[in-house]
Amino acid sequence: QVQLVESGGGLVQVGGSLRLSCTASGIIFYMYTMAWYCQAPGKGRELVATITNGGTTNYGDSVKGRFTVSRDNAKKMVYLQMNSLKAEDTAVYYCNVRTGTREYWGQGTAVTVSS
């Protein structure tokens, strides 16, 4: 059974930083690209960042230069370091993995950026 569990969300001021973590179980973690998505209030879910099994990263335009995705295959964890946070980064952040034809999501962790 695949499980993704996010943590690290919270309340932070504009300009601050947070580090989100996602722990995976039930998959051969090192084989798969991992992704972070976010969903702001009243909006659809959008891609924040991806990291391939080889460590190649990709970012959404709104977070480039501010967020960094990384992974630890030994710990089966993926991280999202968020710096220079803006009010518009307020959202629930989700960890995601696609294994063949199936897709899995965590329960999400809420990030609120206050001005």
Side-chain angles (χ1 to χ4, degrees):
Q1 181 180 357
V2 178
Q3 275 196 309
L4 301 173
V5 180
E6 302 95 336
S7 61
L11 176 64
V12 64
Q13 290 189 328
V14 169
S17 298
L18 278 177
R19 189 194 195 205
L20 306 185
S21 300
C22 170
T23 302
S25 60
I27 60 171
I28 306 174
F29 182 81
Y30 70 86
M31 290 181 61
Y32 300 107
T33 293
M34 300 298 297
W36 286 97
Y37 285 77
C38 70
Q39 186 166 17
K43 294 187 177 182
R45 202 167 289 190
E46 64 180 48
L47 181 67
V48 175
T50 62
I51 183 165
T52 68
N53 57 352
T56 300
T57 58
N58 186 50
Y59 297 93
D61 288 341
S62 63
V63 307
K64 284 180 181 176
R66 300 188 298 122
F67 290 11
T68 302
V69 60
S70 60
R71 64 191 293 161
D72 185 331
N73 289 336
K75 294 182 178 179
K76 296 187 177 182
M77 294 188 72
V78 59
Y79 307 98
L80 185 68
Q81 178 66 44
M82 305 188 296
N83 298 329
S84 303
L85 282 160
K86 305 176 181 180
E88 51 264 42
D89 294 321
T90 295
V92 178
Y93 286 75
Y94 298 91
C95 187
N96 168 277
V97 66
R98 294 177 183 178
T99 62
T101 58
R102 298 199 65 177
E103 185 172 32
Y104 299 92
W105 297 90
Q107 83 289 349
T109 186
V111 172
T112 302
V113 185
S114 66
S115 55

